[in-house]
Amino acid sequence: MRLTLGPVLYAWPRERLLAFYEEAADWPVDTVCLGEIVCEKRRVLNGNEWLTLGERLAAAGKEVLLSTPVLIESEATLRRLRRLCENDRFLVEANDMSAVHLLAGGGRPFAGGPGLNVYNPRTLAVLAERGLCRWSAPPELPQAALAAVHAQRPRGVHTEVFAFGRVPLAHSARCFTARAENRQKDRCGKACFADPDGRLLHTQDGQPVLVLNGIQTQSAHTLDLLPQLEALRRLGVERLRISPQSTHTATVVRAFRAALDGADPGECAARLNACIPVGPCDGFWHGAPGAGCRGAVD
Amino acid sequence: MGIKAGAGRPRHDGGTSSSKNRRMELVCPAGGLPALRAAVDNGADAVYIGFRDDTNARHFPGLNFDPEQAAAGIAYARDRGVRVYLALNTYPQAHNLDRWLGAVDRAAELGVDALICADIAVLDHARRHHPKLPLHLSVQASATTWAALRFYHEHFGVRRAVLPRVLSLAQIETLVAKSPVAIEVFGFGGLCVMVEGRCSLSALLSGAAPNLCGVCSPAEAVRFEDTPEGLVSRLGGWLIDRFAPGERAGYPTVCKGRYRLGGHVYYAFEEPTSLNTLDLLPALARAGVAAIKIEGRQRSPAYVAAVTRIWRAALDALAAEGGAFVPRPAWQAALTGLSEGRQTTLGAYHRPWR
């Protein structure tokens, strides 16, 4: 099984972002997804700088994917998307149907990100006919449903599972980080740069429940499927995705790699626990409320 | 505001045209036969319904149509010159895909005027097996650009699309101009602040959300509790809101809860409010929007009747008055009274938060 490092979903300053990828070049991940996919106002790097970064990672032996924005509202974003889809250097990961359309018309293979609504084998087959060569299952898809899609996948299509990270749950035209600051979106002052892992919301009785990340809302708990590694192996999925966080991502990657290479799963899982800010969750995998956690292997 | 059923209403072309200044079609919700009759009798141009299961995004107990009721509803509407659309707009999984595809076949047999779909497998099946059945792209497909609309148009022959409630008026104008399909927008009712079809907030806490289960905050996961600190609403055990004595207690939808951030407790996403675009009708018509959708298949026949009557009157007034159209204060007052939280908003069409 290969490891994919998902795109950085949070607003990190340029230096932090570049330092992160400088380190990631040495991590045991096979694939790295690049691009600002949540809010284009963040614009830490421009298109050419992302490509340069891609070359740097490719030179370090990584497969590089360019990830497209999750929500496209304006013509300007669409024009940037088109340029991204027309790049002939790296595989593109589509995160909305606009990107799917532009990529399907280009005649080259493309990947589907976890934001595409691929929930059944026929949908996967229709997209594969149009060039989709890899899909990242929506994190809320239960194990049984995932297994069925994977079992019936078209020849040559690879399956990826979102295995670690806070789960992106919803997107809006509104910026909830700006709202938390009582600011309007157009005058947000890039408030999200203060939150390297998003901004944690609690229920009124003190339970951490959600994370605000600009226009994106995530789970407060970190999806952790390392305890399900045997089940994932049995399914035969080709890839696991790890979503970056501001600290300990290297430890997370190495724990997954070690577990995949045969290290004691309990010990690897324990290493991960120290990397999880609020607590783990795996409910979606079991077809249960996503915030729940069974943890141990069933 | 008395409107005679079907009086003088021109037939539309089922969504193939998006030419400007055409009369906008009024598409009203029906969760059952009484609501369907209410919509038809009060001036809907089209009514949308769903089957009685999770193949549609309003899978609520006691709601929706079995095939016999659907046939009766279609006959009632058709006799009065009103079209019926059927929503098959949730996402099937491998184990239940056949049920969705069977629902497509059943809808085709019933002779609905269009299917409202989101899933690619469902669209593909309809296109292959019922090529003459008009397809509308559901809001649950989350298409926000002409590029996305072109995908569904080119591959599945989709003729009309319902836009997510996240676009601004200016964005809608641009989109209509470039769209290969007719555009329908939400005019009134509940407001999703998240892009529809891409929200699993409800699943995080309750295990069920619209995409896979056709329901947001399912009733069986909802609890109201009297506590010393006041009435509390919970979803899947998670506290969504707490109400002061006398405060109107809203239904615990995740995006409409009050949460704690630092020392503050606030509506982190949105105040409970409903969408009302009556003020924007002339602009939507100028933009070339083909149809206005009223949300609320879960609402009562009396609600559907009242809302449909007002919107019929407004669209007729708009047709008669053109640029001089101004919404009547009585309409606005009545709609506000019918709204969640007794407040309405122009939603993303107008962006004070921007």
Side-chain angles (χ1 to χ4, degrees):
Chain A
M1 246 184 290
R2 296 179 193 171
L3 291 179
T4 298
L5 189 64
V8 171
L9 300 176
Y10 306 109
W12 294 354
R14 183 186 174 87
E15 300 69 35
R16 174 173 219 153
L17 195 65
L18 293 174
F20 175 83
Y21 283 116
E22 200 53 43
E23 278 185 48
D26 295 328
W27 296 345
V29 288
D30 304 281
T31 299
V32 180
C33 301
L34 296 179
E36 170 54 58
I37 74 166
V38 174
C39 180
E40 63 169 356
K41 292 178 72 179
R42 291 172 178 173
R43 292 260 203 106
V44 177
L45 302 180
N46 66 31
N48 285 333
E49 289 170 320
W50 282 114
L51 290 175
T52 305
L53 184 54
E55 295 294 354
R56 159 82 185 94
L57 289 160
K62 309 301 181 200
E63 181 198 35
V64 171
L65 259 61
L66 302 180
S67 292
T68 71
V70 288
L71 172 61
I72 299 172
E73 296 177 71
S74 74
E75 282 294 306
T77 315
L78 206 49
R79 280 193 293 275
R80 275 191 286 277
L81 174 69
R82 182 185 283 277
R83 280 200 295 278
L84 197 155
C85 293
E86 283 169 356
N87 103 86
D88 52 10
R89 177 67 177 94
F90 300 117
L91 191 66
V92 177
E93 175 177 81
N95 285 306
D96 93 318
M97 293 308 290
S98 317
V100 169
H101 175 73
L102 296 175
L103 292 162
R108 281 182 299 120
F110 62 94
L116 293 190
N117 286 342
V118 178
Y119 293 119
N120 62 66
R122 182 150 171 186
T123 292
L124 184 65
V126 171
L127 291 173
E129 281 166 27
R130 275 122 186 123
L132 182 134
C133 64
R134 181 185 305 184
W135 72 296
S136 197
E140 76 269 28
L141 199 63
Q143 176 183 7
L146 171 84
V149 184
H150 181 67
Q152 297 174 56
R153 71 198 182 281
R155 184 193 296 270
V157 172
H158 283 195
T159 300
E160 178 177 279
V161 173
F162 194 107
F164 187 91
R166 284 177 162 161
V167 187
L169 297 166
H171 298 91
S172 175
R174 300 192 176 196
C175 176
F176 302 116
T177 305
R179 179 176 170 88
E181 299 276 330
N182 264 320
R183 291 181 196 169
Q184 293 179 320
K185 191 179 179 189
D186 281 354
R187 293 182 201 87
C188 66
K190 301 196 179 184
C192 54
F193 280 83
D195 311 324
D197 291 292
R199 197 169 294 196
L200 187 62
L201 285 184
H202 290 81
T203 60
Q204 293 182 50
D205 55 0
Q207 303 298 315
V209 60
L210 296 167
V211 162
L212 305 178
N213 177 35
I215 66 157
Q216 181 180 73
T217 305
Q218 303 178 333
S219 62
H221 295 80
T222 302
L223 178 66
D224 175 15
L225 292 187
L226 190 63
Q228 312 300 326
L229 203 57
E230 263 323 296
L232 288 160
R233 270 214 185 92
R234 278 197 303 274
L235 284 180
V237 299
E238 285 84 4
R239 296 169 173 277
L240 301 180
R241 170 173 298 226
I242 293 167
S243 191
Q245 51 187 34
S246 71
T247 54
H248 306 306
T249 308
T251 310
V252 174
V253 166
R254 291 192 177 111
F256 268 90
R257 188 72 262 165
L260 287 172
D261 291 345
D264 178 55
E267 193 188 300
C268 295
R271 266 196 272 164
L272 277 196
N273 285 338
C275 306
I276 292 174
V278 165
C281 69
D282 60 12
F284 285 134
W285 180 252
H286 301 288
C293 189
R294 285 192 202 166
V297 188
D298 25 73
Chain B
M1 278 184 282
I3 310 289
K4 292 221 170 61
R9 266 178 280 141
R11 293 287 298 186
H12 289 249
D13 59 6
T16 48
S17 167
S18 60
S19 67
K20 298 199 172 192
N21 299 323
R22 180 178 291 270
R23 279 169 71 107
M24 289 189 288
E25 184 186 78
L26 179 60
V27 185
C28 295
L33 267 177
L36 180 143
R37 286 194 287 264
V40 169
D41 294 348
N42 286 282
D45 295 308
V47 179
Y48 64 105
I49 65 174
F51 284 136
R52 185 164 278 179
D53 62 7
D54 49 1
T55 57
N56 73 91
R58 290 288 183 280
H59 174 44
F60 297 162
L63 211 62
N64 293 320
F65 292 71
D66 64 29
E68 291 72 33
Q69 292 165 329
I74 291 166
Y76 187 87
R78 190 153 293 159
D79 284 348
R80 290 156 183 81
V82 174
R83 286 173 298 285
V84 176
Y85 305 148
L86 187 111
L88 273 171
N89 58 348
T90 44
Y91 289 87
Q93 301 166 56
H95 73 276
N96 57 23
L97 176 60
D98 285 345
R99 198 149 51 76
W100 267 250
L101 305 187
V104 171
D105 301 338
R106 211 155 60 239
E109 282 162 27
L110 282 165
V112 298
D113 293 283
L115 278 185
I116 310 169
C117 309
D119 182 59
I120 285 175
V122 174
L123 288 162
D124 185 56
H125 176 84
R127 173 69 161 169
R128 283 172 196 272
H129 297 278
H130 310 284
K132 290 186 179 150
L133 180 57
L135 296 177
H136 293 184
L137 190 66
S138 168
V139 69
Q140 294 297 119
S142 329
T144 55
T145 69
W146 58 262
L149 295 176
R150 205 159 284 174
F151 179 83
Y152 291 104
H153 179 63
E154 285 178 9
H155 297 294
F156 312 111
V158 162
R159 296 190 193 183
R160 182 192 288 192
V162 187
L163 297 185
R165 283 162 272 193
V166 298
L167 299 175
S168 70
L169 186 55
Q171 287 166 345
I172 289 173
E173 284 168 359
T174 310
L175 187 51
V176 172
K178 291 195 161 188
S179 169
V181 305
I183 294 297
E184 177 172 318
V185 301
F186 277 94
F188 184 77
L191 177 66
C192 277
V193 68
M194 305 302 181
V195 182
E196 294 94 334
R198 301 181 77 178
C199 179
S200 35
L201 289 174
S202 174
L204 180 76
L205 305 187
S206 77
N211 277 14
L212 296 181
C213 304
V215 61
C216 180
S217 288
E220 64 270 21
V222 166
R223 229 168 57 228
F224 286 92
E225 279 170 10
D226 264 318
T227 74
E229 291 85 36
L231 184 66
V232 153
S233 67
R234 290 182 184 272
L235 178 66
W238 296 77
L239 198 154
I240 302 299
D241 210 348
R242 180 177 275 157
F243 306 94
E247 192 178 7
R248 196 165 181 274
Y251 193 78
T253 312
V254 179
C255 62
K256 291 185 178 166
R258 276 179 284 199
Y259 302 94
R260 187 182 298 281
L261 179 66
H264 298 283
V265 170
Y266 77 120
Y267 291 109
F269 304 99
E270 167 142 80
E271 283 80 8
T273 178
S274 291
L275 179 73
N276 180 10
T277 62
L278 217 47
D279 285 328
L280 297 181
L281 269 189
L284 292 170
R286 269 198 308 278
V289 167
I292 299 282
K293 179 165 227 151
I294 308 296
E295 185 274 346
R297 283 192 284 132
Q298 72 284 15
R299 307 300 294 257
S300 71
Y303 172 94
V304 171
V307 174
T308 303
R309 195 158 54 235
I310 293 168
W311 279 81
R312 176 78 270 149
L315 285 169
D316 288 348
L318 177 68
E321 298 160 14
F325 170 85
V326 180
R328 314 291 189 267
W331 300 339
Q332 297 288 32
L335 290 177
T336 301
L338 291 162
S339 299
E340 182 182 7
R342 304 276 187 265
Q343 289 182 59
T344 65
T345 169
L346 292 168
Y349 301 123
H350 169 70
R351 301 183 157 190
W353 38 267
R354 186 174 185 160

